[in-house]
Amino acid sequence: MTAALTVAADVLVVTLLAVGTLFVVVGTVGLLRFPDLATRLHAVAKADNLGLGLIVAALTLHAVAGGGDGWGVAAKLVLIWLLALLATAANSHLLARREESDEPAGHDGAGESDGGSS
């Protein structure tokens, strides 16, 4: 790889890392500042997934541009990102369903009587 191409790849990697980190920070601030569960889930799911995607893209470019076993590392990074996307979707879905049902956290319905006092 030529020196100019290496410098361009390094600049792109640093830019992707910076923008990805910015999205993760903004998502975290949204998680801490937004008033209800729905807006908090939206902030985390959208901003953090995009931020992680940009960070993975930067690390993938760095691994591939570095030579060696770059493609193997790139495949592992993309797999990690896909698993994080799946985990975020599942977690958001479960939290939204819990909020919608209006049950207190940790409540499984076992051991209740029919409203009478014992």
Side-chain angles (χ1 to χ4, degrees):
M1 193 181 278
T2 65
L5 193 55
T6 304
V7 171
D10 287 344
V11 168
L12 185 58
V13 166
V14 169
T15 303
L16 288 171
L17 283 173
V19 174
T21 302
L22 179 68
F23 272 99
V24 170
V25 168
V26 167
T28 303
V29 169
L31 175 67
L32 297 174
R33 301 281 302 186
F34 285 149
D36 61 343
L37 181 69
T39 55
R40 288 178 179 174
L41 285 176
H42 183 73
V44 170
K46 300 299 179 192
D48 283 358
N49 283 331
L50 180 59
L52 181 61
L54 292 171
I55 290 170
V56 166
L59 295 176
T60 300
L61 178 63
H62 181 68
V64 170
D69 190 27
W71 290 107
V73 171
K76 291 174 190 173
L77 287 168
V78 170
L79 181 62
I80 290 170
W81 182 53
L82 291 174
L83 289 173
L85 288 174
L86 267 169
T88 300
N91 187 32
S92 295
H93 179 72
L94 290 172
L95 286 171
R97 282 187 68 189
R98 172 64 77 173
E99 179 73 14
E100 186 179 86
S101 70
D102 289 330
E103 292 180 7
H107 175 36
D108 61 359
E112 286 189 11
S113 63
D114 16 306
S117 59
S118 313

